[in-house]
Amino acid sequence: MTAIWEARRSAIPDNRPKDHRSPWQRDRARVLHSAAFRRLQSKTQILGIGQNDFYRTRLTHSLEAAQIGTGLVNQLRLNSSPELRALLPDDSLMEALCLAHDLGHPPFGHGGETALNFKMLGAGGFEGNGQTLRIVAKLEPYTEHHGMDLTRRTLLGLLKYPVLQPLIPALPEINNPLSLSAWKPAKAIFAADSDILDWVLAPLSDQDRQHFQQLELLPKSPWQKSRYKALDASIMELADDIAYGVHDLEDAIVLGNLRYQQWLDFTAEPFSQLDPALQQQLSQLGSKLFSPKHHLRKDAIGSLVNQLITSVSLYQSLPACQEPLIRYNARLADDEQHILQTLKNLVYRCVIQLPEIQQSRFRCQNMLLKLFDAFHSDPQRLLPLNTQARWQAAADCTAQLRVICDYISGMTDDYAERMHQTLFGN
């Protein structure tokens, strides 16, 4: 079974002399040396590029997630039985997953994601994780037809939502709305990439696949969401969440977007539900986080990350499944998961929802809507030559729209700004 998960879709044997790297080391190298990875240096994490020179970008966030991901794996090795230890991902594999997990994010973060999803409603939608799969398995020109041609296990670990986009009903003609809040994307893989999903999941039995691809209804969305993900993806997502919850909190504190009193007001009730000793520890960490002495803040950040990482364990999320890569997942202890969710909620409520950040997101969303309309209106005049060739080779109108979406989603924030200036002059 190991050979099945190490397989590459191209089935081309590696014939480089004296190359003794593992499949996971090769995958990590392909991600690190890709153009899509380099573009993350100029893509929004929370604050827009150019607003400050301290904050994290998608690139620095991904590097931090990779460090946290290997820390989680090492902690699981310490606390797991020999049988489960053998199942855990190699450090290079975990680094590859964390470095690649945001490759599909378009310019301007989740605001840009929603804008592109609105423009693609009639052509299969748009979602960042689905675009990540397209990049690594189709678009990045490492190979002619299979993108980076990563191993099957690496692709499985990148699937946060291992299901296909639902069919979107016919919509009335809608001009670009001022508010896009109703058009957030479904969390799923594009129907146009069903062949990739089928190949990744081919080793699963029909029964395992049926269990693995179960859906749940979302209370505030018309879409459904996949209930399960593979072991490696669960570790990667924990690393992503910890990097987001803790390190973006640090950005907010240093840049003055979050004050100590806000911290106290927001965390008082949720932290009161924790063990008293943990409450005392968090109170001390809170004082250090907002200390004018930078080394105390860094110590508090490190202590928070350590508290979360050292609580991780494995459990059976799908005990009825035979394939261990989907039967087991990683999770934090209940108290630590509660802390992490509180930190994520704090960043969202007290930073992301700031009017100045939402005003910037509004401007950037409408910028992408206009870019999409422009390229769609006259693709053979406005698209770059290589993208024109892909557009002309597309099988139908839906595939042509996907080509335009691929092009815009691959832009950095800076490039999208310059392109908008070029086409519209403002």
Side-chain angles (χ1 to χ4, degrees), residues 392-405:
Q392 291 168 345
D396 52 37
C397 292
T398 297
Q400 289 176 333
L401 286 172
R402 183 62 64 188
V403 170
I404 295 172
C405 187

Side-chain angles (χ1 to χ4, degrees), residues 45 75 102 105 115 124 137 141 191 199 249 255 298 313:
Q45 177 67 7
Q75 186 67 31
D102 267 353
H105 267 287
W199 182 81
L249 170 68
L255 297 176
K298 296 303 295 185
S313 64

Side-chain angles (χ1 to χ4, degrees), residues 7-9 150-152 155 195-203:
R8 302 183 188 277
R9 198 156 177 244
L150 304 179
T151 60
R152 182 183 265 117
L155 294 180
D195 57 329
I196 305 172
L197 183 62
D198 287 340
W199 182 81
V200 173
L201 302 184

Side-chain angles (χ1 to χ4, degrees), residues 264-282:
L264 294 175
D265 292 343
F266 192 91
T267 62
E269 192 281 326
F271 284 176
S272 70
Q273 303 171 31
L274 300 171
D275 176 84
L278 194 50
Q279 291 183 48
Q280 179 64 27
Q281 179 184 346
L282 289 168

Side-chain angles (χ1 to χ4, degrees), residues 136-180:
V136 301
K138 280 190 177 180
L139 301 179
E140 188 70 27
Y142 190 92
T143 62
E144 186 175 4
H145 300 296
H146 302 295
M148 297 183 198
D149 198 26
L150 304 179
T151 60
R152 182 183 265 117
R153 179 164 178 174
T154 300
L155 294 180
L156 179 69
L158 285 173
L159 295 178
K160 292 173 67 174
Y161 318 109
V163 295
L164 292 179
Q165 288 268 3
L167 290 175
I168 300 173
L171 295 169
E173 190 69 29
I174 303 175
N175 292 324
N176 292 343
L178 290 179
S179 173
L180 291 174

Side-chain angles (χ1 to χ4, degrees), residues 9 174 210 247 277 298 306-307 389:
R9 198 156 177 244
I174 303 175
Q210 185 176 0
H247 291 130
K298 296 303 295 185
N306 179 72
Q307 181 71 37

Side-chain angles (χ1 to χ4, degrees), residues 280-335:
Q280 179 64 27
Q281 179 184 346
L282 289 168
S283 176
Q284 294 171 352
L285 289 179
S287 299
K288 288 184 177 181
L289 281 172
F290 290 86
S291 170
K293 297 180 179 180
H294 296 327
H295 71 280
L296 293 179
R297 185 187 69 248
K298 296 303 295 185
D299 179 65
I301 291 294
S303 296
L304 270 174
V305 172
N306 179 72
Q307 181 71 37
L308 298 172
I309 287 178
T310 53
S311 78
V312 70
S313 64
L314 296 179
Y315 73 106
Q316 294 192 57
S317 59
L318 280 168
C321 288
Q322 297 300 308
E323 172 52 58
L325 286 180
I326 64 171
R327 186 164 74 241
Y328 291 95
N329 267 198
R331 65 182 175 191
L332 303 184
D334 290 345
D335 278 353

Side-chain angles (χ1 to χ4, degrees), residues 72-300:
L72 288 165
V73 171
N74 288 326
Q75 186 67 31
L76 288 168
R77 288 194 187 111
L78 289 174
N79 299 331
S80 300
S81 66
E83 177 187 2
L84 293 180
R85 205 154 42 232
L87 182 63
L88 291 170
D90 178 88
D91 282 358
S92 294
L93 170 56
M94 183 47 53
E95 288 181 354
L97 295 177
C98 292
L99 294 173
H101 82 280
D102 267 353
L103 292 183
H105 267 287
F108 312 126
H110 289 291
E113 181 183 45
T114 304
L116 289 180
N117 183 56
F118 174 78
K119 302 308 294 186
M120 292 294 291
L121 283 175
F126 179 85
E127 193 277 327
N129 189 245
Q131 189 67 17
T132 293
L133 183 66
R134 275 184 74 75
I135 288 171
V136 301
K138 280 190 177 180
L139 301 179
E140 188 70 27
Y142 190 92
T143 62
E144 186 175 4
H145 300 296
H146 302 295
M148 297 183 198
D149 198 26
L150 304 179
T151 60
R152 182 183 265 117
R153 179 164 178 174
T154 300
L155 294 180
L156 179 69
L158 285 173
L159 295 178
K160 292 173 67 174
Y161 318 109
V163 295
L164 292 179
Q165 288 268 3
L167 290 175
I168 300 173
L171 295 169
E173 190 69 29
I174 303 175
N175 292 324
N176 292 343
L178 290 179
S179 173
L180 291 174
S181 59
W183 309 109
K184 293 181 180 179
K187 302 296 186 180
I189 303 305
F190 308 135
D193 300 322
S194 61
D195 57 329
I196 305 172
L197 183 62
D198 287 340
W199 182 81
V200 173
L201 302 184
L204 303 184
S205 68
D206 291 343
Q207 184 178 22
D208 274 10
R209 181 163 178 173
Q210 185 176 0
H211 285 304
F212 186 53
Q213 294 188 291
Q214 290 179 59
L215 299 169
E216 63 179 340
L217 294 174
L218 297 176
K220 297 182 180 180
S221 169
W223 309 123
Q224 296 173 314
K225 180 181 177 182
S226 57
R227 295 182 64 185
Y228 301 107
K229 56 182 64 68
L231 168 63
D232 301 344
S234 73
I235 303 172
M236 175 266 284
E237 189 165 47
L238 282 178
D240 183 23
D241 283 351
I242 293 171
Y244 165 71
V246 178
H247 291 130
D248 288 353
L249 170 68
E250 181 184 17
D251 280 3
I253 293 170
V254 173
L255 297 176
N257 292 326
L258 184 66
R259 299 183 305 277
Y260 186 41
Q261 190 59 49
Q262 287 177 290
W263 163 271
L264 294 175
D265 292 343
F266 192 91
T267 62
E269 192 281 326
F271 284 176
S272 70
Q273 303 171 31
L274 300 171
D275 176 84
L278 194 50
Q279 291 183 48
Q280 179 64 27
Q281 179 184 346
L282 289 168
S283 176
Q284 294 171 352
L285 289 179
S287 299
K288 288 184 177 181
L289 281 172
F290 290 86
S291 170
K293 297 180 179 180
H294 296 327
H295 71 280
L296 293 179
R297 185 187 69 248
K298 296 303 295 185
D299 179 65

